[in-house]
């Protein structure tokens, strides 16, 4: 698959996750954070486990270990994000979660000495400025407890993106998704049963939010992300996935009646610009044209 098609799939993932912010915020009205994670990950693990159970039994220890590590990063990212959302606002949580776009190139440099290019750094900073304009309000300069949790969440999302780039290339998409969901589900279940009280009430509104989190925001989104990251880079993936904040704002505008101000529109334009900037490679087109000219002469 061409990289551009993989990136388009990641855009679909960001649309799904944009709705996930609203669904998580709604589910928190009836459920505690670890119970939400337990339900969404265990529920999302059932379908891929049924499909690829025989394949999973034939995987070697190294591959299983890679899937478990990726699932641990996923659990930690969602744990800090969900608790961050409980103690912060959805807009600040969305912004701080999206700062993983800055963490990714530096983590690649730190862990594997893959020095980020000037273009990657400019694109990531441009994207962060856009997300800030899109999501932050005037009173958002001070960081509270929930905001610090959201920043830690961004670090683990960056590690998850990098792990998928390294580990998903030679593993079946459904198997890798099953390993991730199963790992995150088991840890979430242990935390929910030992650290939190069971929910005392559960209404249809909460059930709808949880259903969206299980089948759309988790199962579908991570199947698509795991597949797409076989054909694109971690830096490109982190930039595109940062559009989650953009679609969270759009859904808030459409469903919750939030106002889209001029700074928010400017921020949306900057996010799109950063992605176009990192993906546009004029040199490649020139080389292709030169090759075509040479063929015609021959």
């Amino acid at each position: 698959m061409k990289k551009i098609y993989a990136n388009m799939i990641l855009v679909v993932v960001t649309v799904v996750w944009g709705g996930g912010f609203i669904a998580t915020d709604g589910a928190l009205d009836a459920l505690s954070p670890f119970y939400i994670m337990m339900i969404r990950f265990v529920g999302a693990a059932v379908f891929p486990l049924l499909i690829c159970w025989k394949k999973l039994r034939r995987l070697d220890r190294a591959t299983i270990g890679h899937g478990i590590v990726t699932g641990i990063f996923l659990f930690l990212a969602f744990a800090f994000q969900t608790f961050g959302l409980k103690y912060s606002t959805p807009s600040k949580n969305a912004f701080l979660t999206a700062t993983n776009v800055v963490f990714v190139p530096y983590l690649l440099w730190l862990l594997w000495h893959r020095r980020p290019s000037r273009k990657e750094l400019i694109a990531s900073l441009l994207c962060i400025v856009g997300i800030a304009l899109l999501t932050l309000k005037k009173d958002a300069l001070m960081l509270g407890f929930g905001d610090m949790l959201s920043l830690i969440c961004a670090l683990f999302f960056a590690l998850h993106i990098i792990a998928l780039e390294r580990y998903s290339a030679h593993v079946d998409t459904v198997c890798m998704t099953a390993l991730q969901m199963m790992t995150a589900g088991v840890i979430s279940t242990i935390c929910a049963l030992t650290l939190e009280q069971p929910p005392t009430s559960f209404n249809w509104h909460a059930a709808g939010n949880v259903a969206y989190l299980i089948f759309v925001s988790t199962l579908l989104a991570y199947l698509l992300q795991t597949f797409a990251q076989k054909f694109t880079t971690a830096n490109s993936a982190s930039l595109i996935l940062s559009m989650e904040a953009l679609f969270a704002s759009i859904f808030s505008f459409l469903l919750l009646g939030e106002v889209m101000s001029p700074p928010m529109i400017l921020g949306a334009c900057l996010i799109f610009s950063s992605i176009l900037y990192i993906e546009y490679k004029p040199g490649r087109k020139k080389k292709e044209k030169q090759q075509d000219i040479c063929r015609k002469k021959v």
Side-chain angles (χ1 to χ4, degrees):
M1 175 184 285
K2 291 184 178 181
K3 183 181 178 183
I4 187 172
Y5 297 133
N7 289 342
M8 289 172 66
I9 292 174
L10 291 177
V11 172
V12 175
V13 173
T14 65
V15 176
V16 169
W17 281 351
F21 269 97
I22 297 174
T24 302
D25 195 41
L28 282 169
D29 293 335
L31 298 169
S32 55
F34 281 130
Y35 269 92
I36 291 175
M37 292 175 59
M38 178 188 75
I39 294 169
R40 74 182 294 177
F41 287 125
V42 172
V46 173
F47 180 70
L49 279 173
L50 290 174
I51 289 180
C52 66
W53 177 249
K54 291 183 179 180
K55 290 183 179 180
L56 284 172
R57 295 176 65 182
R58 293 196 295 266
L59 293 179
D60 58 82
R61 290 185 178 180
T63 302
I64 293 174
H66 294 160
I68 291 173
V69 168
T70 308
I72 290 172
F73 287 149
L74 184 65
F75 163 78
L76 290 171
F78 270 98
F80 282 104
Q81 184 188 48
T82 306
F83 277 99
L85 187 59
K86 186 174 182 179
Y87 297 107
S88 182
T89 63
S91 60
K92 287 180 74 175
N93 184 267
F95 166 70
L96 294 169
T97 297
T99 58
N100 70 76
V101 72
V102 175
F103 285 128
V104 167
Y106 288 105
L107 285 172
L108 287 170
W109 191 5
L110 177 66
L111 297 174
W112 288 284
H113 309 291
R114 192 192 302 178
R115 186 170 183 173
S117 66
R118 182 184 299 178
K119 191 173 186 180
E120 289 171 341
L121 293 178
I122 292 173
S124 62
L125 292 175
L126 185 66
C127 185
I128 283 297
V129 172
I131 295 168
L133 289 171
L134 182 69
T135 59
L136 295 184
K137 305 297 186 291
K138 292 180 180 179
D139 60 346
L141 296 178
M142 298 295 293
L143 292 180
F145 176 65
D147 304 324
M148 296 304 296
L149 295 179
S150 300
L151 271 176
I152 298 172
C153 140
L155 174 63
F156 284 114
F157 269 124
L159 289 169
H160 178 257
I161 290 170
I162 293 171
L164 273 183
E165 183 196 44
R166 292 186 66 83
Y167 300 145
S168 66
H170 306 292
V171 184
D172 180 80
T173 298
V174 180
C175 287
M176 178 58 82
T177 303
L179 287 170
Q180 292 181 78
M181 298 300 110
M182 186 167 54
T183 301
V186 169
I187 302 173
S188 298
T189 300
I190 294 172
C191 291
L193 297 179
T194 57
L195 300 176
E196 295 177 344
Q197 295 295 323
T200 56
S201 62
F202 196 67
N203 53 44
W204 285 107
H205 178 68
N209 286 321
V210 168
Y212 182 90
L213 290 175
I214 293 173
F215 299 107
V216 184
S217 190
T218 307
L219 177 58
L220 175 62
Y222 281 99
L223 280 171
L224 292 175
Q225 184 192 357
T226 303
F227 174 73
Q229 280 204 238
K230 294 175 182 285
F231 308 99
T232 190
T233 64
N235 282 319
S236 293
S238 64
L239 273 172
I240 294 168
L241 293 175
S242 69
M243 291 173 63
E244 173 185 12
L246 168 62
F247 289 108
S249 297
I250 291 174
F251 281 121
S252 295
F253 169 73
L254 294 175
L255 301 177
L256 303 179
E258 291 190 8
V259 178
M260 289 287 285
S261 64
M264 294 175 71
I265 296 172
L266 175 60
C269 293
L270 287 177
I271 295 171
F272 278 118
S273 299
S274 69
I275 295 168
L276 292 175
Y277 175 67
I278 194 66
E279 293 301 321
Y280 180 60
K281 296 179 175 62
R284 184 181 297 175
K285 291 186 176 180
K286 289 180 180 178
K287 288 181 181 179
E288 290 176 355
K289 288 182 180 179
Q290 289 175 355
Q291 290 174 355
D292 291 337
I293 292 171
C294 291
R295 288 183 193 129
K296 289 178 181 177
K297 287 182 178 180
V298 173

